[in-house]
Amino acid sequence: MAQAAFEPAPQHTEPSFDVLRWRDEPWTAQLALDLLPETNGPKVEVLSGSVIVTPHAGYDHQDAELDLAYLLKQAARRAKLWLYLEANVVSGEDLFIPDIVILDAPGGGRTTMDIRHAVLLGEIVSPGNRRKDIIDRPREYAAAGVPYFLRVDLRNRVPTLALYELTEGEYRPVAAAAAGTRFVMREPFEFSLDPADLLGEEALPEEPAAEG
């Protein structure tokens, strides 16, 4: 019986998502950056050797992310810190893309920044990724030594903010507030707002399509 010829994995001259179909070896942050294309679409992260692809979140998420980043960025710059949205953060072999990234050094001209420059990382909880945003990411960021973690939760369209500080290897809450009250933090810089300000108007019900 003739033996089937071995077909080597295709060689890609340019980054392509096709590589996800044939590569079965463990992934690293650097491999993902080298082999996968930049994207304004889904997040492409690497954790424990696996590539994690996450689609864009809903409109409330986008609304809160943009408004919070605009307000936080002004406060961060006064403290000589730099804020970025959904930027590449490398931690060893892992690649994270937090919703909010606040660094102690500018990232201009760079594709990635090492997590040691992260002063605060923030996640906006998505309905389909609650475990990741509430349990997994804080644990991973704490293990990497990130001093502060900020969580925004939009459940039931009642925004809440909570700030955690790394203490003895774990995040401990230092400030929290729900819509209608004032969120106030003193470190790593002074900042306050009513979480209710993070959401815009609710979408109107869609009218049924007209027939014929």
Side-chain angles (χ1 to χ4, degrees):
M1 180 181 294
Q3 190 173 13
F6 172 72
E7 294 185 7
Q11 299 298 311
H12 295 273
T13 58
E14 294 185 0
S16 169
F17 283 114
D18 288 344
V19 70
L20 293 174
R21 295 187 301 174
W22 57 262
R23 180 180 174 81
D24 55 7
E25 292 88 353
W27 283 83
T28 67
Q30 191 59 54
L31 279 172
L33 292 166
D34 290 342
L35 299 180
L36 300 177
E38 292 186 8
T39 173
N40 290 323
K43 288 184 179 181
V44 180
E45 302 174 290
V46 176
L47 180 63
S48 300
S50 298
V51 172
I52 301 169
V53 180
T54 308
H56 268 308
Y59 281 84
D60 280 347
H61 185 288
Q62 304 297 326
D63 217 3
E65 185 176 69
L66 288 172
D67 287 349
L68 180 60
Y70 173 76
L71 297 169
L72 272 175
K73 185 169 186 175
Q74 298 176 73
R77 289 302 294 120
R78 289 193 290 270
K80 294 183 172 53
L81 299 172
W82 288 263
L83 181 145
Y84 300 92
L85 283 179
E86 300 185 8
N88 295 323
V89 176
V90 174
S91 176
E93 302 294 342
D94 295 334
L95 172 65
F96 297 121
I97 306 180
D99 292 322
I100 302 288
V101 177
I102 296 180
L103 307 173
D104 63 7
R110 300 284 301 275
T111 300
T112 68
M113 289 292 280
D114 193 278
I115 202 166
R116 71 177 184 272
H117 291 292
V119 174
L120 180 152
L121 297 179
E123 299 287 356
I124 299 172
V125 179
S126 298
N129 290 310
R130 292 194 66 84
R131 176 184 170 83
K132 183 198 80 170
D133 295 330
I134 293 176
I135 299 175
D136 297 340
R137 286 306 157 85
R139 182 178 59 219
E140 291 148 8
Y141 299 158
V146 179
Y148 292 92
F149 174 71
L150 181 68
R151 177 186 297 131
V152 183
D153 199 330
L154 308 175
R155 178 178 278 190
N156 299 323
R157 302 198 86 245
V158 180
T160 62
L161 266 72
L163 177 70
Y164 300 82
E165 183 176 10
L166 189 63
T167 304
E168 297 179 352
E170 295 183 356
Y171 284 126
R172 306 290 172 83
V174 291
T181 60
R182 200 79 187 164
F183 172 81
V184 179
M185 72 184 205
R186 305 297 183 193
E187 296 291 344
F189 49 85
E190 292 192 358
F191 175 75
S192 70
L193 89 164
D194 181 341
D197 295 338
L198 296 179
L199 286 188
E201 297 82 4
E202 190 168 2
L204 297 173
E206 290 190 3
E207 297 182 1
E211 295 184 2

